[in-house]
């Protein structure tokens, strides 16, 4: 739940597909394929800076770390929000972020993902008339926008084959599939499923799909639905891009499951439950796609509601981290028994307000936290041996920061 502010069972006013909830529905404009964006808009009061690719070549002195690209999601229709996808670079050694302008032309790009080949960026258009947009990174040209067939898309991911884009419509409780062609552009939707059963959980008025992700076997895709307290497993047809439901996993009523991440061993996953302030270890059967949800565990944030947002696990499978929005912290867990057990270690202040999303740098040495209400991105150094987090300098200011994607 959440997307600006969350309403739902937990009592935070939700800000999904912003215009609709404000009573002014903004219609999605679909740009023509390969429409040029021109030069990115620099932040107010700043001179125009080189593109991230150029910055990597011109700004790094001899012997220094080469800057890497960082893309930032926001709400363009929110008060104080951004004007498009934020552009920045970061130092992979120190974590220091440097702004590089804005990529305009995408409405409410609240969640971002990149193609496995690194050449195309995808963004949700979190509006009442939801869409997904592809942007070619080499020249920052919009390759087109496609309808998700639902309202308020809040999450997307790219299938590991690079052939399919998966998106979750929070407002309508549905998930969609779009084909990706050789250029990275999106084709017409091939799959759309609305979660019509089971009935909504306690305090919910309907289904709310919050995540759509590929299982470690590659043949199954899993949709986490906060409204129905269910994780749905579908078989994805690799040729047609259609969905066939094969299993359902129920959480306890009122848990409000939001985000799932898999252990690298492929047999276990970890589920963040937004409403009841818990996490759960889940067993996963790659042959059937069946997920079995374990007992709820503490987030270490006390008795108050902390609205867990996202959980990550390190590439070596040793540690997991949970973002807690109400508590404004990151919970650290030790992963034990080859992934079958989480042991709570501690919580660390996030140095921001309402950490909506977290992400590792590709080498796993840095953890980025997008803090929605403070409009900042915090960066932490990750100790490979102990899993301890150390804040890497002052957080970076980014308007209504709801997603940070380091490449």
């Amino acid at each position: 739940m959440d997307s600006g502010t969350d309403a739902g069972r937990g009592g935070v006013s939700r800000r999904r597909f912003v215009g609709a909830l404000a009573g002014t529905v903004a219609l999605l404009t679909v740009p023509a394929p390969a429409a040029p964006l021109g030069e990115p808009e620099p932040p107010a009061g700043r001179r125009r800076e080189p593109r991230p690719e150029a910055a990597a070549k011109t700004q790094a002195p001899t012997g220094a770390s080469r800057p890497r690209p960082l893309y930032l999601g926001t709400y363009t229709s929110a008060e104080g929000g951004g004007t498009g996808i934020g552009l920045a670079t970061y130092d992979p050694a120190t974590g220091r972020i440097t702004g590089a302008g804005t990529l305009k032309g995408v409405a409410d790009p609240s969640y971002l993902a990149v193609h496995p080949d690194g050449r195309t960026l995808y963004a949700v258009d979190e509006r009442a008339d939801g869409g997904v947009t592809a942007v070619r990174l080499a020249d920052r040209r919009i390759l087109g926008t496609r309808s998700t067939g639902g309202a308020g898309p809040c999450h997307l991911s790219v299938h590991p084959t690079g052939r399919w884009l998966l998106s979750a419509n929070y407002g309508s409780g549905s998930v969609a599939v779009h084909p990706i062609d050789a250029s990275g552009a999106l084709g017409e939707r091939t799959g759309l499923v609305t979660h019509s059963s089971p009935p909504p959980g306690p305090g919910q008025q309907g289904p709310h799909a919050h995540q759509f992700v590929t299982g470690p076997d590659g043949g199954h895709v899993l949709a986490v639905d906060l409204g129905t307290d269910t994780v749905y497993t579908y078989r994805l047809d690799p040729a047609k891009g259609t969905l066939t439901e094969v299993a359902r996993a129920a959480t306890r009523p009122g848990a409000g499951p939001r985000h799932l991440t898999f252990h690298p061993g492929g047999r276990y996953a970890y589920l963040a439950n937004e409403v009841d302030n818990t996490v759960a270890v889940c067993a996963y059967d790659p042959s059937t796609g069946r997920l079995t949800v374990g007992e709820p565990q503490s987030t270490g944030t006390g008795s108050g509601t902390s609205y867990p947002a996202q959980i990550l696990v390190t590439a070596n499978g040793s540690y997991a981290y949970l973002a807690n929005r109400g508590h404004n912290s990151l919970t650290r867990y030790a992963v034990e028994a080859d992934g079958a057990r989480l042991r709570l270690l501690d919580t660390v202040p996030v140095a921001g307000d309402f950490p909506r999303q977290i992400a590792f740098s590709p080498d796993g040495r840095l953890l980025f936290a997008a803090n929605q209400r403070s409009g900042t991105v915090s960066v932490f150094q990750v100790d490979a041996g102990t899993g301890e987090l150390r804040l890497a300098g002052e957080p970076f200011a980014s308007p209504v920061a709801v997603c940070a994607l380091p490449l």
Side-chain angles (χ1 to χ4, degrees), residues 6-51:
D6 286 8
R9 295 173 286 190
V12 184
S13 67
R14 179 181 182 79
R15 202 189 165 289
R16 281 268 178 229
F17 45 103
V18 186
L21 292 185
T24 56
V25 179
L27 297 179
L28 178 68
T29 300
V30 181
L37 288 175
E39 288 296 316
E41 171 111 354
R46 286 189 61 125
R47 64 179 175 80
R48 189 177 302 279
E49 296 186 19
R51 293 178 177 179

Side-chain angles (χ1 to χ4, degrees), residues 79-326:
E79 182 177 356
T83 57
I85 298 171
L87 304 173
T89 62
Y90 70 96
D91 185 313
T94 67
R96 182 178 182 271
I97 298 174
T98 301
T102 302
L103 191 158
K104 290 190 172 183
V106 185
D108 289 322
S110 66
Y111 201 88
L112 310 172
V114 69
H115 192 279
D117 66 14
R119 295 185 296 181
T120 311
L121 181 72
Y122 300 97
V124 298
D125 298 25
E126 193 174 329
R127 298 276 178 114
D129 184 8
V132 282
T133 296
V135 179
R136 188 168 62 202
L137 291 178
D139 55 5
R140 296 190 183 134
R141 293 168 68 92
I142 289 181
L143 300 178
T145 297
R146 298 289 186 178
S147 170
T148 60
C154 63
H155 182 271
L156 48 69
S157 63
V158 184
H159 190 272
T161 62
R163 295 185 57 194
W164 309 103
L165 184 73
L166 314 174
S167 58
N169 294 307
Y170 180 92
S172 52
S174 59
V175 292
V177 181
H178 288 83
I180 301 174
D181 69 20
S183 73
L186 300 171
E188 290 291 346
R189 189 176 62 247
T190 56
L192 179 66
V193 177
T194 299
H195 299 152
S196 57
S197 66
Q204 296 294 325
Q205 297 180 342
H208 294 305
H210 216 301
Q211 185 193 28
F212 199 21
V213 65
T214 305
D217 56 283
H220 296 100
V221 290
L222 293 89
V224 180
D225 196 297
L226 184 152
T228 62
D229 292 322
T230 302
V231 180
Y232 302 81
T233 300
Y234 299 94
R235 184 173 296 281
L236 175 68
D237 187 301
K240 300 178 181 178
T242 53
L243 298 170
T244 302
E245 184 179 327
V246 295
R248 294 182 185 181
T251 67
R252 66 178 181 176
R258 176 186 176 99
H259 187 267
L260 182 79
T261 192
F262 284 91
H263 184 271
R267 293 285 180 172
Y268 296 96
Y270 312 109
L271 185 63
N273 296 312
E274 174 177 337
V275 179
D276 74 355
N277 189 28
T278 65
V279 296
V281 178
C282 306
Y284 180 72
D285 182 350
S287 63
T288 63
R290 184 173 296 279
L291 194 76
T292 303
V293 180
E295 292 299 313
Q297 297 182 217
S298 171
T299 64
T301 58
S303 58
T305 303
S306 69
Y307 302 105
Q310 185 167 3
I311 188 165
L312 299 179
V313 63
T314 55
N316 63 8
S318 296
Y319 298 96
Y321 304 92
L322 176 71
N324 304 296
R325 288 168 295 166

